[in-house]
Amino acid sequence: PNPFACDLQRQPSNKLMLSSAQLKEAFDGFDKDKSGFLDMDEVVSLATSLGVKTSKKELTDLFASIDVSKDNKLSFEEFLGWYRVGRHS
């Protein structure tokens, strides 16, 4: 289990912000193939582990909106940008 899953899951209610180092550790924990990126399967695993109830389409749409480079993978920088700005909108 990822040690940051509880913190990440609480985000919407208390808006606690994790440090970049904490986010990087969480990101790396879900990067199962150690590629330095999260692919769609890894994002599905992340959402599942956090208990996020969403459709595959919603996850696909979210993934596409975070993937600013449009290379079908999320870099830590893309993830961090979403976490810092986009996740609240």
Side-chain angles (χ1 to χ4, degrees), residues 23-79:
L23 286 169
K24 178 67 171 144
E25 191 171 335
F27 180 93
D28 290 345
F30 286 102
D31 180 15
K32 299 302 181 195
D33 62 3
K34 304 301 178 205
S35 65
F37 298 93
L38 296 182
D39 61 27
M40 188 62 196
D41 289 338
E42 291 164 334
V43 170
V44 169
S45 293
L46 183 145
T48 301
S49 75
L50 296 178
V52 174
K53 305 277 192 251
T54 188
S55 71
K56 178 79 168 182
K57 168 135 179 43
E58 288 172 321
L59 269 181
T60 301
D61 290 348
L62 176 63
F63 186 94
S65 72
I66 298 170
D67 181 19
V68 296
S69 63
K70 304 301 179 208
D71 57 2
N72 296 315
K73 56 189 178 183
L74 302 182
S75 68
F76 177 69
E77 291 75 20
E78 289 169 326
F79 179 78

Side-chain angles (χ1 to χ4, degrees), residues 4-14 18 47-52:
F4 299 102
C6 292
D7 288 334
L8 290 172
Q9 193 169 16
R10 284 199 313 260
Q11 296 309 311
S13 59
N14 67 16
L18 298 176
T48 301
S49 75
L50 296 178
V52 174

Side-chain angles (χ1 to χ4, degrees), residues 15 17 77-89:
K15 305 226 188 250
M17 294 295 282
E77 291 75 20
E78 289 169 326
F79 179 78
L80 183 62
W82 165 79
Y83 181 82
R84 296 284 190 230
V85 178
R87 73 188 180 97
H88 298 298
S89 53

